[in-house]
Amino acid sequence: GNAHFLGYDLFLPKGQPTSLYKGKRGSVTRRCQPRLRFDIPVSKVTDIYIKCGYVKQLKDKVRPISRAAYAVLEDHAIISHYRSRWLGLLNYYSGCTDRGRLQYLHYLLHMSCAMTLGHRHRLSCSKIFKKYGKKLLTKVPSTGVPVCFPYKTTWKQSERKWLIGKQVPQPQYYYVNF
């Protein structure tokens, strides 16, 4: 069975390959060494994002939507908010086994950010990406500091790391909803 602990789904996978070897008496013995998996409960995270208004539940899938309440904010504030949401989620689930699941959550937040900017400027997502680029890069008007939504192109297992010695709050619960 699966266990849910600290926001991760923990389980030992079934159907792992076994190793064969000969024992002292000539008999063949099988040994299985499954590794504990740390997976992201994507359905629980998307349920939280549905409640917060970042995505919408359709019949059998989830679709990113615009946050109309954020349309009154400036562009850099919108991108900064979504950036902090994503970086919090990425840091919390940095040690997950299947990084492809993070890619789906990245897509949902990235498109929701683009849709919110599109809602603000009355433009489509494709025009928003043409205007700001795929990283949604803009600058803070008062300081000129660039702000962008982190766009990942690789989801390699080698990038997996645990944040040891750092306090990282569970990202879904500590953000203020507008």
Side-chain angles (χ1 to χ4, degrees):
N2 294 355
H4 187 74
F5 183 69
L6 293 177
Y8 282 90
D9 283 338
L10 308 175
F11 66 96
L12 290 171
K14 295 180 181 177
Q16 287 286 79
T18 57
S19 59
L20 302 174
Y21 75 98
K22 283 195 167 193
K24 290 183 179 180
R25 298 184 183 174
S27 62
V28 177
T29 306
R30 290 182 171 203
R31 288 208 176 157
C32 180
Q33 298 173 349
R35 294 187 179 183
L36 189 63
R37 292 186 54 97
F38 296 86
D39 276 356
I40 303 168
V42 175
S43 61
K44 291 181 182 179
V45 175
T46 53
D47 286 345
I48 290 169
Y49 284 158
I50 288 169
K51 290 177 188 171
C52 292
Y54 293 101
V55 295
K56 181 179 182 180
Q57 177 73 48
L58 300 177
K59 289 181 183 177
D60 57 346
K61 59 183 179 178
V62 176
R63 179 183 176 280
I65 58 173
S66 167
R67 287 284 313 250
Y70 293 166
V72 296
L73 300 174
E74 293 184 22
D75 295 348
H76 67 88
I78 294 170
I79 295 172
S80 293
H81 174 76
Y82 278 93
R83 175 186 170 86
S84 67
R85 272 277 187 180
W86 167 244
L87 290 178
L89 192 70
L90 182 64
N91 284 337
Y92 190 79
Y93 289 115
S94 62
C96 71
T97 310
D98 186 5
R99 296 189 54 88
R101 294 173 149 244
L102 276 173
Q103 186 175 10
Y104 177 65
L105 297 173
H106 179 268
Y107 158 76
L108 290 176
L109 284 176
H110 189 237
M111 289 303 295
S112 181
C113 182
M115 288 177 173
T116 303
L117 288 169
H119 186 103
R120 173 176 163 71
H121 295 288
R122 307 280 193 260
L123 296 173
S124 67
C125 280
S126 61
K127 289 181 182 175
I128 288 294
F129 285 121
K130 285 179 185 174
K131 180 177 179 180
Y132 294 108
K134 66 181 176 183
K135 290 186 175 185
L136 300 175
L137 178 65
T138 188
K139 292 184 178 181
V140 179
S142 59
T143 61
V145 175
V147 177
C148 70
F149 188 90
Y151 187 81
K152 288 193 63 75
T153 56
T154 62
W155 300 91
K156 295 179 182 174
Q157 189 69 16
S158 60
E159 295 175 356
R160 178 180 170 213
K161 63 179 189 258
W162 290 101
L163 298 174
I164 298 173
K166 295 183 181 178
Q167 295 257 341
V168 180
Q170 204 166 6
Q172 308 74 298
Y173 302 119
Y174 292 100
Y175 290 96
V176 176
N177 292 326
F178 288 93

